[in-house]
Amino acid sequence: MKNANASTAVSSIKPTRADRIFDVLMLVISILFLLVAAYPLYLMIIASFSEPEAVSQGKVLLYPVGFSLRGYQYIFQSRDIWMGYGNTILYTGLGTFGGTMITVMAAYALSREDMPGRKLLIKLCIFTMFFSGGMIPTYLVMNSLSLTNTRLILILMGMFTCYNMIIARTFFANSLPKELLEAASIDGCGNTRFFFTIALPLSKAIVAVIALYIGVMYWNNYFTALIYVTKREYFPLQLILREILVLGQQLAQGGEGADVDAILEMQKISESIKYGVILVSMLPVMLVYPFVQKYFVQGVMIGSVKG
């Protein structure tokens, strides 16, 4: 009865004037931050569908001016776009699956206090986050392994990072109680079976977070292909879009050997092409993110609470 009265008293407390002012102020600040973050995306969308002349003259600010698909027609008129999409989906799918499995398994192993050499391995891993051989030695190593100009290098490069491993290791260390492992061991469950049947199903949040990190990295990566690959049929989407954007800028500036009509046309649609290229490359990630957002928040925060 006392608990009910106490809860009723707490719920009946009215906010003061200062509380209401504070709430309104925080709401206004939050809306302003939302507008600042959302406006560039909104501008990119309306500009990509507006008339190229209006975009180039800076008339598109709050709403689309006219309607045109000329920028998208230029982007998708080449087969290279679809080739780049196929390559990027392949690299992202295989790289995300392999990278997530390797990262999660390494993180679980390093979270176990009974693993021999655990502290040394963690220190060596952290060391590589601050010091590396450099770009040229890395290229020479990859070339000596005959990995340059292959699809395999675009899958292997970036598959494992110590940063992701440390995040997952913190999750395992703070979220899986030792009593669970002891109970499973008493029932005859080995390490491998415990990981795949108990630890992994209980770690969906961190698995989703690591998969999202790795997937976005693969989807946005073009530098690896720029350095290690010269065969055009292996180019990912981001490198194809980069070429289209650079070519559009060169034509818009009247590059050497460019046709006069092509220069005039490119000067009109160069801005629409720029916004269209950004939207084309961002759209798949934007469609996937809402489905893993809840796991993203849970996986990142759950390992940060100690005790």
Side-chain angles (χ1 to χ4, degrees), residues 94-110 125 155-162 164-166 168-169 172 195-196 200 207 210-211 214 218:
L94 295 179
T96 302
F97 176 79
T100 302
M101 291 303 300
I102 292 173
T103 301
V104 171
M105 288 190 290
Y108 171 74
L110 293 177
C125 189
I155 298 174
L156 294 178
M157 291 292 288
M159 183 176 286
F160 177 84
T161 62
C162 291
N164 292 336
M165 188 277 295
I166 291 174
R169 173 186 169 274
F172 284 121
F195 173 74
F196 284 103
L200 200 58
V207 171
I210 298 301
I214 298 176
Y218 272 101

Side-chain angles (χ1 to χ4, degrees), residues 1-306:
M1 190 66 179
K2 291 182 179 181
N3 293 334
N5 293 333
S7 60
T8 303
V10 172
S11 61
S12 63
I13 296 177
K14 295 182 179 180
T16 63
R17 181 180 179 183
D19 293 335
R20 290 194 295 268
I21 294 175
F22 177 81
D23 293 339
V24 172
L25 182 61
M26 289 298 101
L27 179 61
V28 172
I29 294 176
S30 300
I31 293 176
L32 290 176
F33 274 108
L34 176 63
L35 293 176
V36 171
Y39 178 73
L41 178 61
Y42 173 74
L43 176 63
M44 176 190 67
I45 295 174
I46 63 175
S48 65
F49 290 102
S50 299
E51 284 292 338
E53 292 83 357
V55 178
S56 61
Q57 295 174 7
K59 297 181 179 179
V60 180
L61 294 175
L62 298 177
Y63 51 86
V65 179
F67 181 79
S68 175
L69 296 176
R70 293 162 64 187
Y72 288 104
Q73 290 175 353
Y74 180 87
I75 294 173
F76 290 106
Q77 71 181 1
S78 175
R79 294 177 56 188
D80 290 343
I81 286 287
W82 305 110
M83 178 190 68
Y85 253 112
N87 289 336
T88 298
I89 292 173
L90 175 66
Y91 304 149
T92 303
L94 295 179
T96 302
F97 176 79
T100 302
M101 291 303 300
I102 292 173
T103 301
V104 171
M105 288 190 290
Y108 171 74
L110 293 177
S111 68
R112 292 278 299 272
E113 296 182 357
D114 57 341
M115 178 182 175
R118 179 177 67 96
K119 294 183 179 180
L120 177 61
L121 290 175
I122 294 175
K123 291 179 180 179
L124 291 176
C125 189
I126 294 175
F127 180 84
T128 61
M129 296 176 63
F130 299 96
F131 304 97
S132 65
M135 184 185 301
I136 295 178
T138 303
Y139 179 87
L140 294 176
V141 171
M142 296 302 164
N143 189 43
S144 64
L145 295 174
S146 301
L147 290 176
T148 54
N149 272 323
T150 63
R151 296 184 187 274
L152 187 59
I153 192 171
L154 298 176
I155 298 174
L156 294 178
M157 291 292 288
M159 183 176 286
F160 177 84
T161 62
C162 291
Y163 177 79
N164 292 336
M165 188 277 295
I166 291 174
I167 293 177
R169 173 186 169 274
T170 304
F171 178 91
F172 284 121
N174 295 320
S175 301
L176 293 180
K178 298 179 181 179
E179 293 78 10
L180 187 62
L181 176 61
E182 295 174 355
S185 301
I186 293 175
D187 293 334
C189 181
N191 289 326
T192 303
R193 184 179 178 184
F194 177 82
F195 173 74
F196 284 103
T197 61
I198 300 177
L200 200 58
L202 294 176
S203 307
K204 293 180 181 179
I206 196 62
V207 171
V209 171
I210 298 301
L212 179 64
Y213 282 166
I214 298 176
V216 171
M217 185 275 297
Y218 272 101
W219 188 266
N220 292 328
N221 184 29
Y222 75 92
F223 190 72
T224 301
L226 186 66
I227 298 297
Y228 297 103
V229 176
T230 57
K231 293 183 179 180
R232 191 171 184 81
E233 59 268 25
Y234 295 163
F235 282 6
L237 174 65
Q238 299 296 336
L239 193 56
I240 298 294
L241 297 181
R242 175 183 176 274
E243 287 188 351
I244 292 176
L245 186 60
V246 172
L247 178 61
Q249 292 175 346
Q250 290 176 349
L251 289 176
Q253 296 171 2
E256 295 183 2
D259 184 75
V260 176
D261 295 335
I263 293 176
L264 294 176
E265 179 68 14
M266 188 57 60
Q267 288 176 343
K268 294 180 181 179
I269 66 174
S270 59
E271 291 296 318
S272 297
I273 290 175
K274 178 178 68 176
Y275 291 114
V277 164
I278 297 173
L279 184 60
V280 166
S281 61
M282 289 177 56
L283 188 60
V285 178
M286 292 170 60
L287 294 176
V288 172
Y289 180 76
F291 296 98
V292 296
Q293 181 181 9
K294 60 178 181 179
Y295 297 112
F296 179 81
V297 176
Q298 181 183 0
V300 171
M301 293 301 298
I302 197 169
S304 64
V305 180
K306 305 297 187 295

